[in-house]
Amino acid sequence: MDYERFFEDELEKLHENGKYRVFADLERHAGSFPKATRYVDGETRQVTVWCSNDYLGMGQKTEVMQAMKDAIDANGTGAGGTRNISGTNHNHVLLEQELADLHGKEAALIFTSGYVSNWASLGTLAAKLPNCIVFSDAKNHASMIEGIRHSRAEKHIFKHNDWKDLDEKLSRVEKGRPVIVAFESVYSMDGDIAPIKEICEVAKKHGALTYLDEVHAVGMYGPRGGGIAEARGLMDQLDVIEGTLGKAFGVMGGYITASERLVDFVRSFASGFIFTTALPPALAAGALASIRHLKQSDAERRGQQAAVAKVRAGLDRIGIPYMMNDSHIVPVMVGDAKKAKWISDILLDQYGIYVQPINYPTVPVGTERLRITPGPLHTDEDIGHLVRSLNDLWSQCALARQVA
């Protein structure tokens, strides 16, 4: 077989369909986020980032950066080993205590990423619980899907955010059989929010364990940034709450929180935790500082919500279609992969605006979009420039507009 030819042909198909992913070479500016320097063709250009998952700009927060610097001065760089073999730093212990407190749980366990925390935790629980069956929301993240697949447990998909469909499917399961219901709070591409209360009630009715992914909600919602479950007073209804340190908290890593026994079980059996080097102490220290800040401060959340409202109002004025939801995510709907990429490229090259196109397989064909994430550090001038730029390109692409 001509391997190189095969690789070339498959990549060419992506180019032809407008689905080839190009990385923007960026250098974020500490203290002036969302501004960044873009490196292209040996030159530099200044851009404004509109698609970052650093939703609150905490990756630029002075106390977070200082905590990381102090930890490096005190501990050096890497952890030096797995958590079991010399790699557990005191910053890891403090961070896990802080996360458990954030979600009102007995214990927490940190991983190298949110992807790994889902893959390792769901994979371990579903594999080890005898004859386990997993019910997964139709729009769950790839990390959850891969974790369930890795477990080789029986899996059923329930309709997206449809607790009645879940109830009907669970009613067919023999009583006493271990069951996991896995779902998310905020779904990152559409920005819609799960009916957590109803799903928990259905799961409890059928004796199922609930596993909630809050990666796009932690730091963002609730009086202390505990997520949608905290905002709705439902944290005690969930068996496992999973989150990330790499989005609203502005650092890196993932985690689960649950009962002490469940967390200890995952810690003891999850290969994705056991056999990998621990997070560097500086990352743990930075995350700890970020979480502690957002537990006390609501200013970042209020600023972010205000920016979202202004962007939506601007899009409404010029009829740019976007998907309505109750979250912080603004999916501007294009509906064509090539046009979505073209708009993204022109915004970056000619307008100094960076927003990544979202195409299949991340979203279904025909729902291609620009996923905009306004933050508290976007100024009114930034927002005005974004809206005017989209107005220009929408006309050039002859795309449909919403009628007020």
Side-chain angles (χ1 to χ4, degrees):
M1 181 177 183
D2 186 340
Y3 298 105
E4 292 298 318
R5 179 60 182 271
F6 171 78
F7 300 146
E8 182 181 358
D9 289 345
E10 291 302 304
L11 290 169
E12 184 57 34
K13 291 176 186 176
L14 293 178
H15 281 285
E16 291 174 358
N17 295 328
K19 299 173 184 176
Y20 182 77
R21 290 178 169 91
V22 178
F23 295 159
D25 184 355
L26 302 177
E27 186 176 80
R28 302 207 304 173
H29 296 169
S32 62
F33 182 77
K35 305 303 179 185
T37 297
R38 179 192 178 203
Y39 290 81
V40 57
D41 298 330
E43 299 179 354
T44 60
R45 300 173 187 173
Q46 300 309 301
V47 300
T48 302
V49 179
W50 277 99
C51 55
S52 175
N53 283 340
D54 185 359
Y55 294 130
L56 302 177
M58 293 301 293
Q60 312 289 300
K61 202 73 174 178
T62 301
E63 53 260 54
V64 175
M65 294 191 294
Q66 191 60 52
M68 294 183 72
K69 294 173 185 176
D70 291 345
I72 289 175
D73 289 341
N75 306 129
T77 53
T82 64
R83 289 289 299 274
N84 187 52
I85 305 176
S86 81
T88 295
N89 183 275
H90 189 54
N91 285 299
H92 297 137
V93 176
L94 293 176
L95 175 57
E96 287 171 342
Q97 292 172 352
E98 200 74 32
L99 287 165
D101 174 77
L102 177 65
H103 294 291
K105 299 298 182 188
E106 292 177 350
L109 190 68
I110 54 175
F111 297 80
T112 51
S113 73
Y115 189 104
V116 173
S117 59
N118 268 336
W119 176 83
S121 301
L122 273 173
T124 299
L125 291 168
K128 293 292 185 180
L129 287 168
N131 198 28
C132 182
I133 181 170
V134 182
F135 288 84
S136 177
D137 186 281
K139 290 191 176 182
N140 274 346
H141 190 262
S143 59
M144 303 174 80
I145 294 168
E146 288 299 323
I148 297 165
R149 180 181 295 145
H150 177 72
S151 75
R152 298 186 179 180
E154 182 180 340
K155 178 188 76 172
H156 294 276
I157 296 173
F158 64 93
K159 295 176 184 176
H160 179 53
N161 281 346
D162 191 333
W163 58 269
K164 293 181 180 179
D165 183 55
L166 174 64
D167 189 20
E168 194 275 329
K169 286 180 166 60
L170 283 172
S171 67
R172 303 176 197 165
V173 179
E174 60 192 87
K175 292 190 182 298
R177 185 175 180 184
V179 178
I180 298 173
V181 174
F183 62 111
E184 301 181 40
S185 59
V186 176
Y187 287 84
S188 62
M189 290 301 114
D190 292 351
D192 55 335
I193 297 175
I196 299 174
K197 179 176 181 290
E198 290 80 359
I199 290 175
C200 286
E201 288 173 349
V202 167
K204 185 175 182 180
K205 169 184 171 183
H206 295 282
L209 183 148
T210 48
Y211 184 106
L212 178 66
D213 175 322
E214 287 253 49
V215 296
H216 290 277
V218 292
M220 302 293 292
Y221 302 93
R224 301 196 308 160
I228 298 294
E230 184 194 29
R232 296 181 177 179
L234 298 169
M235 290 194 297
D236 63 331
Q237 300 300 304
L238 293 144
D239 295 296
V240 182
I241 296 177
E242 184 266 352
T244 184
L245 307 170
K247 293 183 171 62
F249 293 132
V251 192
M252 180 183 176
Y255 64 89
I256 60 167
T257 62
S259 70
E260 187 173 352
R261 286 177 179 171
L262 189 151
V263 168
D264 197 20
F265 181 86
V266 173
R267 182 191 71 86
S268 299
F269 289 102
S271 63
F273 173 82
I274 296 169
F275 297 107
T276 192
T277 300
L279 278 177
L283 289 178
L288 183 63
S290 183
I291 293 164
R292 285 175 172 171
H293 176 88
L294 289 174
K295 279 182 173 180
Q296 303 297 323
S297 173
D298 196 41
E300 291 80 9
R301 288 186 282 276
R302 286 187 284 104
Q304 196 274 338
Q305 291 158 10
V308 170
K310 290 176 182 178
V311 168
R312 286 176 174 156
L315 297 176
D316 286 338
R317 284 195 298 272
I318 59 175
I320 299 293
Y322 61 91
M323 189 176 290
M324 287 299 299
N325 57 56
D326 293 323
S327 76
H328 56 283
I329 295 166
V330 184
V332 171
M333 307 307 292
V334 180
D336 179 277
K338 291 184 177 179
K339 287 184 177 181
K341 187 176 188 311
W342 182 84
I343 291 172
S344 174
D345 288 345
I346 297 299
L347 283 172
L348 186 57
D349 292 336
Q350 298 183 19
Y351 292 86
I353 291 171
Y354 174 47
V355 55
Q356 189 71 14
I358 308 295
N359 298 325
Y360 179 85
T362 307
V363 295
V365 173
T367 68
E368 293 82 3
R369 66 199 66 178
L370 304 174
R371 179 180 177 274
I372 296 174
T373 55
L377 302 178
H378 285 109
T379 66
D380 288 347
E381 183 181 353
D382 292 332
I383 295 170
H385 181 52
L386 171 70
V387 171
R388 289 190 298 271
S389 302
L390 285 171
N391 186 46
D392 291 347
L393 297 182
W394 225 253
S395 297
Q396 292 182 44
C397 278
L399 288 167
R401 296 180 187 254
Q402 292 182 145
V403 178

